[in-house]
Amino acid sequence: KKIIFSGAQPSGKLTLGNYLGAIKNWTELQEEYNCYYSVVDLHAITVPQEAKNLRANTMQLLAQYLASGLDPEKNTIFIQSHVSAHTELMWILNTMTYMGELSRMTQFKDKSQKNEANLNAGLFTYPVLMAADILLYQTDLVPVGEDQKQHLELARDLANRFNNRYSPTFKVPEPYIPKAGARVMSLQEPTKKMSKSDENENGYILLVDEPDSIRRKIKRSVTDSIGIVQYNDEQPGIKNLLDIYSKLSNKSIEELVTMYEGKGYGDFKNDVSEVIVETLRPLREQYEYLLSNKDYLEDVYAKGAQKAEYQARKTLRKVYKKVGLIEKK
Ligand code: AMP
Ligand code: TRP
């Protein structure tokens, strides 16, 4: 079986965009691949975090992974900081990464402009930690969004560099961009992508939003004055709602357009709300149940760490040996 690695940072709740663009695909991959899904808490602390919030966000993200259908029996689901090999391999890779390479990372350039007061070295070497995450597990495929492709390229370069300098040690990972390029747009500005960092909370739907809040957000979503439910770029709001509706109901866009012929946006929006509410209802219920079952969550992440640890140590031992570090007796 091919190996998949991916992770998300525990920095707030997941949106419908994260679900349709990432997590839902992960749940499909779990049937075919050997998957590692991590809550990357060490990545999250490259920007200031309140300890209490970070702890809560980490548990919440884990609960959202499981509530979305990631099965802890089929996958290795773990918290990054529990497997110390990640930071250990990072050190080795740090010694083989050029300052120039890291300076060219567009995410670093963006984040460093927004965070001038906290320009820490961790923000700079963040992509090296990500490379360690991936390379420790001999990963074949990494499902990530467009924005992470440059980081993945660094992971590939580092794998090749190490393999050439010593001898073949790491699998060189490939990006895995899901077929249907799901891009869920903001409900308030439908030409921008839906993002949880939007100041206007009416712009996004959270996986764990209450039904009434979902209905309110869809009702207020920005459309147009054309008044016909059809799929085109002049009606980005309606287009986005059609995309969401279609993905959640498995009805084609054409079918939906026909269904709403001669009907107004009111009916259409009501139905979109109900599809979202009904899709997310079991997720939210499961999420709440899991959060009140700390023992179960602990059990999941303890087992996950154990499984991950075994594979990670195996790779790290080889690396240490090749580099010339003396084996611990
Ligand atoms: P982020 O929340 O930006 O760290 O993204 C986490 C994952 O969700 C990445 O794989 C993104 O590509 C995906 N994602 C985030 N927002 C959207 C969106 N609006 N539509 C589709 N996928 C998204
Ligand atoms: N940097 C990724 C993001 O912000 C999260 C991440 C960390 C990751 N390590 C990873 C993604 C390894 C894929 C593989 O979205």
Side-chain angles (χ1 to χ4, degrees):
K1 269 193 182 176
K2 288 204 168 175
I3 298 167
I4 293 227
F5 187 101
S6 199
Q9 298 187 49
S11 51
K13 302 214 164 67
L14 297 173
T15 66
L16 186 62
N18 294 131
Y19 177 69
L20 288 174
I23 314 287
K24 190 161 179 273
N25 294 315
W26 294 5
T27 64
E28 284 154 19
L29 296 169
Q30 71 186 352
E31 309 299 336
E32 238 180 289
Y33 299 93
N34 179 8
C35 304
Y36 291 82
Y37 295 120
S38 185
V39 176
V40 292
D41 52 350
L42 295 171
H43 276 101
I45 59 171
T46 54
V47 297
Q49 298 280 352
E50 205 68 75
K52 192 157 87 20
N53 291 342
L54 179 61
R55 260 192 299 272
N57 282 334
T58 300
M59 293 301 274
Q60 287 172 9
L61 184 57
L62 181 70
Q64 287 174 84
Y65 278 4
L66 302 177
S68 303
L70 290 181
D71 182 343
E73 301 293 328
K74 290 182 184 155
N75 307 290
T76 304
I77 299 174
F78 70 104
I79 297 173
Q80 185 186 31
S81 62
H82 291 177
V83 183
S84 61
H86 289 243
T87 41
E88 294 171 86
L89 178 60
M90 181 202 190
W91 178 255
I92 306 290
L93 296 178
N94 260 340
T95 65
M96 309 179 59
T97 309
Y98 307 119
M99 302 287 283
E101 274 175 316
L102 294 178
S103 313
R104 284 193 292 276
M105 294 288 148
T106 54
Q107 193 173 76
F108 172 72
K109 288 195 249 176
D110 287 352
K111 285 198 182 175
S112 57
Q113 272 165 8
K114 287 185 205 144
N115 267 293
E116 286 193 35
N118 180 38
L119 247 198
N120 66 80
L123 202 57
F124 190 60
T125 56
Y126 172 116
V128 186
L129 180 58
M130 180 162 160
D133 295 343
I134 296 166
L135 299 182
L136 274 176
Y137 300 95
Q138 305 296 341
T139 301
D140 294 284
L141 299 169
V142 185
V144 281
E146 212 44 50
D147 59 327
Q148 296 297 318
K149 274 176 94 174
Q150 198 185 20
H151 292 161
L152 191 62
E153 202 48 51
L154 179 74
R156 290 168 51 83
D157 288 345
L158 288 173
N160 281 319
R161 196 170 300 160
F162 191 98
N163 291 347
N164 291 334
R165 190 175 299 180
Y166 300 100
S167 60
T169 308
F170 295 120
K171 182 90 60 72
V172 181
E174 303 278 345
Y176 181 90
I177 311 290
K179 303 153 235 153
R183 216 168 119 80
V184 180
M185 311 309 277
S186 160
L187 299 176
Q188 290 297 313
E189 285 176 80
T191 50
K192 285 190 357 200
K193 84 169 197 181
M194 180 182 286
S195 163
K196 62 193 159 215
S197 52
D198 197 334
E199 323 82 64
N200 184 351
E201 61 168 36
N202 286 321
Y204 55 81
I205 285 175
L206 297 177
L207 229 54
V208 297
D209 267 344
E210 298 285 341
D212 282 344
S213 147
I214 295 174
R215 293 188 184 106
R216 195 184 60 242
K217 289 175 180 178
I218 294 295
K219 191 170 265 170
R220 291 189 186 164
S221 69
V222 170
T223 53
D224 53 73
S225 56
I226 297 175
I228 301 170
V229 177
Q230 52 190 359
Y231 193 79
N232 63 48
D233 290 336
E234 275 75 69
Q235 296 171 260
I238 293 294
K239 183 175 178 208
N240 188 36
L241 294 180
L242 276 168
D243 273 327
I244 294 172
Y245 194 165
S246 168
K247 277 185 197 106
L248 295 179
S249 66
N250 290 319
K251 290 195 175 84
S252 69
I253 302 282
E254 297 74 44
E255 257 176 276
L256 292 174
V257 168
T258 313
M259 264 170 71
Y260 291 94
E261 239 168 69
K263 293 192 185 165
Y265 290 169
D267 286 344
F268 175 62
K269 280 185 168 183
N270 278 338
D271 292 352
V272 174
S273 298
E274 291 319 305
V275 170
I276 301 174
V277 166
E278 290 315 318
T279 308
L280 297 187
R281 187 191 301 282
L283 262 79
R284 195 190 73 251
E285 285 171 1
Q286 181 67 5
Y287 169 76
E288 278 161 9
Y289 170 77
L290 288 167
L291 276 188
S292 63
N293 257 276
K294 264 196 121 186
D295 290 349
Y296 176 71
L297 288 179
E298 276 175 22
D299 192 51
V300 166
Y301 69 64
K303 288 211 177 93
Q306 214 171 25
K307 280 199 272 178
E309 176 87 28
Y310 175 80
Q311 187 53 49
R313 279 286 143 201
K314 216 159 104 182
T315 302
L316 190 68
R317 256 196 314 273
K318 283 190 206 155
V319 169
Y320 273 18
K321 197 164 165 203
K322 295 195 187 190
V323 169
L325 303 176
I326 296 213
E327 208 178 334
K328 189 175 165 195
K329 288 292 172 199

